[in-house]
Amino acid sequence: NSFNAMTRQLRFYIQKTLENEKDKERMRYSLLISQINPHFIYNTLNTITYLVRQNRSSDIVAVNSALIKILRDSLRIDAVQIFDAVEQEIEVVKQYIIIQQYRYGSDFKVNWQVDEEVLHLAIPKSLLQPLVENALFHGLLPCEAENYQGVINILIQAVADRIKIQVSDNGAGMDAENLKQAHQWLKMGGEIRGKHVGLRNIIGRVNYLYGPLESGNRLQIE
């Protein structure tokens, strides 16, 4: 009887320990996602400030509406749910693009190439928007060439049993040193410090969900 009681108690404590570890991981993941939202909201408020100074009242309403839709998406899902349908992630990005195009006008456009069969499939939440944001702020905006037309290409397609997500642009690109640094970030995972909050979060969350990156074919920076 004593042995059985000890076994039951041990099983109870093992179960509680596992639940505590799961709760910690869920909290950690939620924190990783929440780091992106203030970063994005900060940029959006800057856009609204810009429009106020330009006396563009109707544009402020449009930007505010897009922001509300994005925030509603963040509140729509329970905090521990960490995936969302591809089509919902696309909708968030489209609202984000509306906001940025009000700020930068016709300086850039976005081309979509999305397979219909992937729209209902689940991907990690808040994965696509930070990639588009990086393409805009680090790729297109630094370019100041005359008659330059910035383009962001977004490709989402099924490849065998995986989903391929590719965000590319015709902007400034990276020199050899920056590319080397970016590849170091992939090896370091979530240990990136300082800037590049969006990229740091993507790497950290992909590593958390699917295990540390061992080969270069899961997440690539070119």
Side-chain angles (χ1 to χ4, degrees), residues 112-126:
W112 292 88
Q113 184 179 344
V114 182
D115 289 354
E116 289 287 333
E117 62 264 32
V118 305
L119 289 175
H120 70 284
L121 299 179
I123 60 174
K125 191 168 176 60
S126 300

Side-chain angles (χ1 to χ4, degrees), residues 122-190:
I123 60 174
K125 191 168 176 60
S126 300
L127 187 71
L128 184 59
Q129 183 270 329
L131 293 175
V132 175
E133 183 173 351
N134 271 8
L136 176 61
F137 283 92
H138 300 293
L140 303 190
L141 296 186
C143 291
E144 298 179 352
E146 187 176 356
N147 297 323
Y148 168 70
Q149 174 68 64
V151 179
I152 298 176
N153 296 303
I154 302 173
L155 169 71
I156 308 176
Q157 61 182 187
V159 179
D161 60 344
R162 299 188 178 195
I163 300 175
K164 178 181 180 180
I165 299 174
Q166 180 177 297
V167 177
S168 59
D169 64 79
N170 66 341
M174 292 182 285
D175 57 27
E177 183 59 33
N178 284 332
L179 184 59
K180 180 180 178 181
Q181 184 183 47
H183 289 161
Q184 286 295 321
W185 294 343
L186 294 180
K187 294 179 181 178
M188 294 165 65

